[in-house]
Amino acid sequence: MTRLINTHALETRKIDSAALGHMAMIAHPMAEPGMYVGQVHKDRAVVAEFTLEVVTDEGATQADIDLGRVVGMPGAAKAPLRYRVSAGGYALFFVSQGPGGYRVVLSKRPERGEEDQLKPGFDSSALGKGDLFVLSLIRPGTWKLEERSTRAQATIAVSYILPGKEAYRPKEEATTLSLSDQGLSIEKLEIGPGEGVVIGVETSKAQFSVLLEDADDGPETRARQTSEPDDRTSRRVRWNNPRAGRP
């Protein structure tokens, strides 16, 4: 069996909720029944569309919408994908393939007798109250989480796991925190690679960024970096004072 390795996820050093890529997901509550049109934006252009039906009868409580699959291959002609979820459930947006960098806009189709225009609703570039921003950081090191509107910040330390007798398994329980007008409920947290962090939005507008500030590639790399001289401090420069020319 051939296994595919997502190199985009391994190389990710920056995550942005307004340009969704790997290692992050957005969950948006769908309270109002109806038919919704979803547009996927990238670089200020609409690159794909999908439909989401929110029903009142019993159904799935979560619609898993893979934006990488929605976009598909560039230039490929295909019908928009359709999703379905029960009212009160969540639309979960994520990227499993490709470089990512997507923004999602959901608009409700008008009912009979209403104006024939889409009603703009959810926009992933400005998360609102009830939305969830979910992280699953893989690369060990120190990550900085920041919310732009409130300027709230938190440090996430992802530990480096040494090989052992038993295989490493991430904890199933995610670390939960919230964002209010006063900031983030947790400012420092430590997790293992691949363990979840769920941020509940309690403000009217939020945009998150997560940046890898200091990668941890293991004890051997740390020891080598400590023992090797820094070229910036050990480099010698010879400078000769120019003599004034004779008259």
Side-chain angles (χ1 to χ4, degrees), residues 85-148:
V85 68
S86 60
Y90 282 85
L92 182 67
F93 303 103
F94 64 97
V95 179
S96 69
Q97 58 186 350
Y102 302 123
R103 168 189 166 214
V104 184
V105 177
L106 277 180
S107 302
K108 189 180 180 183
R109 283 181 178 171
E111 302 289 345
R112 289 184 178 180
E114 296 181 342
E115 294 182 3
D116 189 19
Q117 291 183 348
L118 293 174
K119 297 180 179 179
F122 171 73
D123 189 333
S124 64
S125 66
L127 303 182
K129 190 172 183 178
D131 290 332
L132 302 175
F133 184 56
V134 184
L135 295 170
S136 181
L137 303 176
I138 298 174
R139 186 167 182 179
T142 302
W143 296 75
K144 184 179 76 172
L145 167 67
E146 182 177 11
E147 196 286 308
R148 290 185 174 89

Side-chain angles (χ1 to χ4, degrees), residues 22-240:
H22 303 280
M23 297 194 293
M25 297 181 287
I26 293 174
H28 175 66
M30 303 300 301
E32 188 176 346
M35 185 67 72
Y36 293 78
V37 175
Q39 292 183 326
V40 184
H41 298 246
K42 184 169 184 178
D43 299 331
R44 300 182 180 180
V46 177
V47 293
E49 291 188 350
F50 63 91
T51 59
L52 174 62
E53 184 181 8
V54 181
V55 297
T56 55
D57 56 349
E58 292 186 4
T61 58
Q62 179 174 297
D64 297 331
I65 303 176
D66 182 354
L67 301 180
R69 183 167 177 259
V70 171
V71 173
M73 296 299 293
K78 55 184 177 59
L81 295 177
R82 298 175 62 90
Y83 299 91
R84 181 184 173 96
V85 68
S86 60
Y90 282 85
L92 182 67
F93 303 103
F94 64 97
V95 179
S96 69
Q97 58 186 350
Y102 302 123
R103 168 189 166 214
V104 184
V105 177
L106 277 180
S107 302
K108 189 180 180 183
R109 283 181 178 171
E111 302 289 345
R112 289 184 178 180
E114 296 181 342
E115 294 182 3
D116 189 19
Q117 291 183 348
L118 293 174
K119 297 180 179 179
F122 171 73
D123 189 333
S124 64
S125 66
L127 303 182
K129 190 172 183 178
D131 290 332
L132 302 175
F133 184 56
V134 184
L135 295 170
S136 181
L137 303 176
I138 298 174
R139 186 167 182 179
T142 302
W143 296 75
K144 184 179 76 172
L145 167 67
E146 182 177 11
E147 196 286 308
R148 290 185 174 89
S149 299
T150 61
R151 298 184 180 272
Q153 295 184 358
T155 300
I156 304 175
V158 181
S159 58
Y160 184 93
I161 305 300
L162 295 172
K165 294 182 180 180
E166 297 183 359
Y168 166 72
R169 295 181 182 275
K171 293 188 301 183
E172 293 184 1
E173 301 81 8
T175 301
T176 60
L177 57 152
S178 60
L179 172 75
S180 66
D181 293 332
Q182 286 70 44
L184 291 163
S185 59
I186 300 176
E187 295 183 353
K188 293 183 180 180
L189 60 152
E190 296 182 4
I191 61 173
E195 294 180 349
V197 177
V198 180
I199 307 168
V201 179
E202 299 177 357
T203 61
S204 59
K205 183 178 181 181
Q207 184 177 336
F208 296 97
S209 66
V210 189
L211 178 66
L212 178 61
E213 289 192 317
D214 186 15
D216 184 355
D217 295 326
E220 294 182 359
T221 302
R222 292 196 296 268
R224 185 168 61 251
Q225 291 174 344
T226 303
S227 61
E228 290 179 350
D230 190 342
D231 291 340
R232 292 172 297 178
T233 58
S234 62
R235 185 178 300 161
R236 295 182 179 180
V237 179
R238 178 174 294 178
W239 179 77
N240 294 322

